[in-house]
Structures are given as structure tokens and as C-alpha cells.
Amino acid sequence: MTDARPLGADEATFIAAARSGDTAQFALVTERHRRALQVHCYRLLANYEDAQDLTQETFLRAWHKRESFQGHAALRTWLYRIATNACLDFLEKRNDRTPVPSGLPDPGSEVLYLQPYPDRMLPEDPQESVVARETIELAFIVAVQHLPPRQRAVLILRDVLGWPASKAADALELTVASVTSALQRARRTMREQLPGRRLDWRSPATHELSDDERGVVKSYIDAHERNDLDGLMSLLRDDLRFAMLPDPGTVIIGAEDAVDGWVSGGLFQRGHDDWRGTTTTVNRMPAAVLYLRAPGDPEYRLFAIALLHIADGKIAELTGFDATGKPWLDLPPTL
């Protein structure tokens, strides 16, 4: 696998570190790629903790294979290749990393292993950030999980990273024809999973929240803090899709059914009526971080993170994550 490029500073430093066995220099030159590789692994795995583990596995494999790197490809390309194959090896060994039926009359499914991705860990590289929002949003991450692992890898290498077919084929040890065929099948599935959404992820997409998005997430938190059920209901689209992860069987379609479920679960009743919230962004999406104070407790404790997909000023999708004791986002455990 070669790139039409001269040997760069990263590549020269890496080769020198590999030849001398200088682990400190090796770590220094590879560490600058951690964020990009971690996002790559997350797109393949949909799980933040797994992505962290597989990024570390990538660095271990890179160290063991260091003498094979000759600088014919960019160091970044070589590391992406290792990361992709490390993720594929991981998926081959796991039988719990595929979507499961939602149990609803429609053909929908749940990705029970889905975890949120903290924006603070997204790459700082401007080239990476221009596509980060649409390829890190939950809808994209979930849709990718409906692809077989190798199709998943082909789609991300070709359509997200923009690799040519020959480069992707070399990385995956496939023929160019196989890569082309896999990409066509993957694109068809993505169109089915993301109806009406833009599928050209390599063109720039804004990653700043709109005023509408900021206003809706603030109103969502305000409704909790005021115990305002009508106000909460007014923020939801009638065809709301709600899921609470990692619990199975929690997908609900329809605002009324979702609210009825929340109320029957105790929302705004004693024990679930003393809320505080903060706004944040997760997966480049607006999110509400909810803290709950139990009767007699002097502190509000981290309870849930609600990621909101907002369309036309209303919440179209609400994905909740149980945040009790979770360190993903460096959120304070209490308020």
C-alpha cells in the first residue's frame, strides 16, 4: 500500500524510533493520531469503551509490526489499516455486537451496545471536523451497525475517509472488485436506514448547533426542572422515536406513548420530581444532562443523558443513556 508522497517527518521519526526500539519516541509520534483512530473505531463499533480499547490495541499491534513500516504509505494510513483490522477481529469474536429486533410491529431494531461519544474527544484536525457531525451522529452510527463488519469497514474507508478502492482493498486484503461490490451493497442499506438524509458524508457539514437546537434543549431541561408535563409534551413530535439504553425493549414510537411510559415509570412524581439539568453536545448533537435528587439527599446525582435529534423546532428522536456511575463524558457526578 503506497501513497504518492515523499517521506514525511512523522514517518521518518517513526522509522527511527522503530529501528532504535525507542518506545518513548514511538508513543510520541503515534499519540497524535489517537483521537482520529478512536473515532474511526467508534464508527465501526458504536461503543465508546470498545473504541478506546481497540485504539490501544492498534498501538500495541503497531509496535509489534513496527519493522514492517517502510514509509511507503503515510503513517496515518498505516495506523488506520491496523485499527480497521483490529476492529474486524474484535467483531468476529463477539456475537453481541449486532442490532436486535425492537419488538415493535415495524422492522426496527435496537443497538443495545450503543454508547455516546464525548465531543471533547473528537479530532481537532479541521479536515476531520468538517465531516464529524454527520458521521458521528447517532443515526449514522446506528445505521452503520446494520452492515456486516466488512461492508461496514469498506463504507467507512471509502465514503467517510475518502480512500480510493485500491487502497481500501489493500487494507482489507480484498480485490478491488470485491470492495466495489461491498460498497454498493453498503450504500443501499444505508439509504434504507437513513431515508431522506444526505449520504455524501465527504462534503462539508456544519457542526455548530442552531439556535433552534439550543432553544429546544434548554426548554427540555426547563420542563424537567418545573415538573411541567405539558411543556415537555409540547416539545415532542407526534412521531417521536424514543429509546433508553442499554435496556432492551424500550423503543417507543409516538409522543403520547412515550410520555405515558415515563409517567407510569414515575416521572414528575415523588422521587422523580426534583431535577436539575445542564446542556452539552455529545456525538455533535444537542444533549441534556439530567441530575435527580432523591428525597432526603442533599445533592443532585447524575441520572441520564438525553441526546436529541431536533427537526423543525421539535424533538424527533430522543435517545436516553443511563448515566449512573458512567465516566464517559467527564461529567460531574453531583450538582
Side-chain angles (χ1 to χ4, degrees), residues 36-50:
L37 291 169
Q38 193 164 287
V39 169
H40 179 62
C41 292
Y42 177 74
R43 288 178 179 131
L44 285 163
L45 305 174
N47 184 283
Y48 179 57
E49 292 166 347
D50 290 343

Side-chain angles (χ1 to χ4, degrees), residues 5-27:
R5 57 185 302 282
L7 189 67
D10 262 12
E11 290 72 33
T13 302
F14 182 90
I15 290 171
R19 289 175 177 171
S20 65
D22 187 340
T23 56
Q25 191 63 32
F26 171 90

Side-chain angles (χ1 to χ4, degrees), residues 157-213:
L157 292 177
R158 293 281 285 114
D159 278 2
V160 177
L161 298 184
W163 286 18
S166 58
K167 192 171 173 180
D170 194 29
L172 298 171
E173 298 182 351
L174 298 172
T175 64
V176 170
S178 295
V179 163
T180 302
S181 175
L183 180 61
Q184 291 171 346
R185 294 195 301 273
R187 285 173 173 168
R188 282 198 297 270
T189 300
M190 293 296 283
R191 280 193 291 269
E192 293 168 1
Q193 294 296 322
L194 293 169
R197 295 213 181 187
R198 182 163 69 90
L199 298 181
D200 179 12
W201 298 294
R202 284 175 291 162
S203 61
T206 178
H207 59 266
E208 296 297 329
L209 298 188
S210 68
D211 290 340
D212 265 358
E213 288 174 317

Side-chain angles (χ1 to χ4, degrees), residues 22-95:
D22 187 340
T23 56
Q25 191 63 32
F26 171 90
L28 186 65
V29 74
T30 53
E31 182 64 25
R32 68 191 63 174
H33 299 285
R34 180 181 292 274
R35 290 192 179 191
L37 291 169
Q38 193 164 287
V39 169
H40 179 62
C41 292
Y42 177 74
R43 288 178 179 131
L44 285 163
L45 305 174
N47 184 283
Y48 179 57
E49 292 166 347
D50 290 343
Q52 288 180 303
D53 292 343
L54 268 295
T55 301
Q56 197 58 39
E57 172 68 15
T58 296
F59 291 148
L60 289 173
R61 290 189 182 195
W63 175 252
H64 291 309
K65 297 178 179 181
R66 63 191 183 279
E67 293 182 359
S68 69
F69 181 76
Q70 302 298 317
H72 301 308
L75 177 60
R76 180 186 178 100
T77 298
W78 188 69
L79 291 172
Y80 267 115
R81 174 178 180 155
I82 295 173
T84 301
N85 285 286
C87 290
L88 291 176
D89 290 346
F90 171 84
L91 291 169
E92 186 177 349
K93 296 173 184 175
R94 299 292 293 263
N95 57 12

